[in-house]
Amino acid sequence: MTDVLILGAGLVGTTLATALAAHGLTSIVVDPADPAAILAPGHDGRASAVASASHRMLDAIGVGARLTGEGNPILSIRVSDGLAPGKLDFVPDEDDGALGTMYENRTLRRALHAAASEAPQVDLRMQRRAVSIDRGPAGVTATLDDGSVVKARLLVAAEGRRSPTREAAGINVARWQYDHVAMIATFNHEHAHGDCAYEIFYPAGPFAILPLTDDARGHRSALVWTVDAKDAPGMLKLSDRAWLAEAAKRMGGFLGALGPVSPRTSYPLGFHHAARLTAERLVLVGDAGHGIHPIAGQGLNLGFRDVAALVQVLVEGKRLGLDVGDAELLKRYERWRGLDTLMVAGATDTLTRLFGVPGKAASAVRRFGIGAVDAIAPLKARFMAEARGESGDRPKLLTGVLA
């Protein structure tokens, strides 16, 4: 019997399997995707900001070395309300290091998939799905679509926002849509980004420019452009040249001439939060448990924090001779992660609504708030700690130490 059965081999699921393997725990990872498709160069054009604390975990479990030279450090963050005067700059002290690192998702996926595939404690079963699952006092039994039967002490759902395992367990979810769509692309530009991430707020939503490594064509960034859902179809039909011209207007020209641009993708924005993160011999991690607006770039990092906390709980429990599916261990994970995920979700939802209020008066209030935070050093330091993932009760892995 394996220790953990993980459903979902995305970024969070493969990180969990690799982190468990680094501590000697075994896992079976089941995912219906074809590795040739999800590891192809053209798959998933998104990019993610990996907070410095999350990166320490990747380093500790041996994934960081596979990412050397692939990411671009975020050395500062600039926040503004449109192109109006007034800004908020987050610039850490030199000794504090980067706030995070930008990676293209395909790069993260490739490194994590390789690490999980090479770990002897991980049984990676791609192009497979569980057709039946039985959770009971003695453990978890799952039948896969190839007829094989696997047994584990704990089941982890890492299947994403539409987790069928969460639904089958009867776990209620609070959810709503923002009536916004995020348009995603990477693009080249004339002037260097200076390792700075820009978050420009417009009534339709944030316009985020995120620094990526240069390529053969020169300087490059990722763009997450939020628009009203009713405007998205028309925006996506624009030619690359027209789309970049609209993007340039919102940037104010500070990156110079733009282009070329990668194929553009889009997805609707919504919020969801599971009423609980555990059930009998079941744990939810990542988007299976919570999905937030990308306004602060914390979605993936929340999933990484889930992984770090769950690994520590299971490792410490096993050292005490406990079954990794023990109800008391799962309660500890629930307490540890439930409050943090709810607070981050609530904060991002509040920011989304605050910056979405139209009108000059609302804009003036926002600019005043931005200026106030910029002038209050302790408050500014708190925001930077949140961006790094260094606030609250951190699991050991987020400090770079194996549990």
Side-chain angles (χ1 to χ4, degrees):
M1 179 181 284
T2 195
D3 289 313
V4 182
L5 171 60
I6 303 170
L7 300 182
L11 300 181
V12 173
T14 48
T15 300
L16 175 60
T18 306
L20 289 170
H23 293 83
L25 273 68
T26 57
S27 65
I28 296 173
V29 185
V30 177
D31 194 291
D34 180 356
I38 64 173
L39 299 176
H43 180 78
D44 192 353
R46 293 174 295 173
S48 296
V50 177
S52 57
S54 297
H55 212 295
R56 290 188 193 103
M57 175 176 70
L58 297 181
D59 292 338
I61 64 176
V63 176
R66 299 173 183 269
L67 295 168
T68 301
E70 299 282 0
N72 197 96
I74 301 174
L75 299 183
S76 63
I77 300 173
R78 172 166 289 189
V79 179
S80 65
D81 184 56
L83 297 178
K87 57 183 174 53
L88 171 57
D89 286 323
F90 294 103
V91 182
D93 294 334
E94 287 187 15
D95 296 340
D96 291 339
L99 293 165
T101 306
M102 283 300 306
Y103 290 104
E104 291 177 89
N105 280 13
R106 62 174 68 95
T107 299
L108 288 171
R109 184 175 288 105
R110 187 170 60 244
L112 287 163
H113 185 85
S117 299
E118 294 172 17
Q121 297 89 349
V122 179
D123 181 356
L124 190 58
R125 303 195 188 190
M126 302 298 291
Q127 296 180 275
R128 291 288 174 263
R129 66 176 72 243
V131 294
S132 69
I133 298 173
D134 177 50
R135 293 182 288 111
V140 179
T141 301
T143 301
L144 307 187
D145 56 2
D146 63 353
S148 61
V149 176
V150 297
K151 296 180 181 292
R153 295 178 176 84
L154 177 66
L155 176 66
V156 175
E159 305 150 306
R161 292 183 176 231
R162 301 185 183 278
S163 169
T165 304
R166 180 192 66 216
E167 302 301 322
I171 297 176
N172 293 326
V173 179
R175 68 171 83 238
W176 54 80
Q177 295 299 118
Y178 288 111
D179 201 29
H180 289 161
V181 169
M183 299 188 295
I184 311 295
T186 60
F187 66 101
N188 291 88
H189 42 85
E190 181 182 3
H191 303 318
H193 48 56
D195 303 321
C196 180
Y198 297 87
E199 191 99 30
I200 306 171
F201 287 97
Y202 290 101
F207 183 93
I209 308 159
L210 308 165
L212 295 177
T213 53
D214 292 351
D215 65 8
R217 293 170 171 173
H219 306 305
R220 195 167 59 114
S221 291
L223 180 62
V224 182
W225 181 357
T226 305
V227 297
D228 287 331
K230 67 180 187 306
D231 298 328
M235 293 294 298
L236 291 167
K237 288 179 182 177
L238 292 175
S239 67
D240 286 352
R241 182 176 179 180
W243 193 82
L244 285 173
E246 290 297 322
K249 292 178 185 176
R250 287 159 177 80
M251 293 180 198
F254 70 90
L255 288 178
L258 308 183
V261 63
S262 71
R264 291 167 274 151
T265 58
S266 66
Y267 62 94
L269 297 179
F271 170 101
H272 73 270
H273 196 275
R276 50 197 173 96
L277 298 176
T278 64
E280 183 179 35
R281 292 191 178 272
L282 171 65
V283 167
L284 307 182
V285 296
D287 284 354
H290 40 76
I292 62 176
H293 195 286
I295 192 169
Q298 289 300 306
L300 178 59
N301 291 295
L302 269 185
F304 283 159
R305 279 146 73 170
D306 291 346
V307 167
L310 180 59
V311 169
Q312 185 165 329
V313 166
L314 298 185
V315 168
E316 292 178 353
K318 191 158 188 178
R319 286 172 183 161
L320 293 173
L322 298 176
D323 182 334
V324 296
D326 184 88
E328 291 304 313
L329 290 182
L330 304 193
K331 286 179 183 177
R332 184 185 172 200
Y333 171 79
E334 175 84 54
R335 289 192 300 268
W336 200 346
R337 295 302 304 139
L339 180 60
D340 179 53
T341 57
L342 183 60
M343 290 180 66
V344 173
T348 56
D349 183 65
T350 300
L351 282 174
T352 299
R353 297 180 188 281
L354 174 64
F355 279 95
V357 177
K360 293 182 178 179
S363 182
V365 171
R366 288 192 293 267
R367 291 199 303 274
F368 175 80
I370 286 173
V373 173
D374 202 33
I376 303 172
L379 186 56
K380 198 172 180 180
R382 175 65 184 269
F383 276 111
M384 283 197 286
E386 289 287 347
R388 286 196 185 95
E390 296 177 349
S391 61
D393 183 11
R394 282 185 292 162
K396 292 179 181 178
L397 274 175
L398 296 186
T399 68
V401 177
L402 294 180

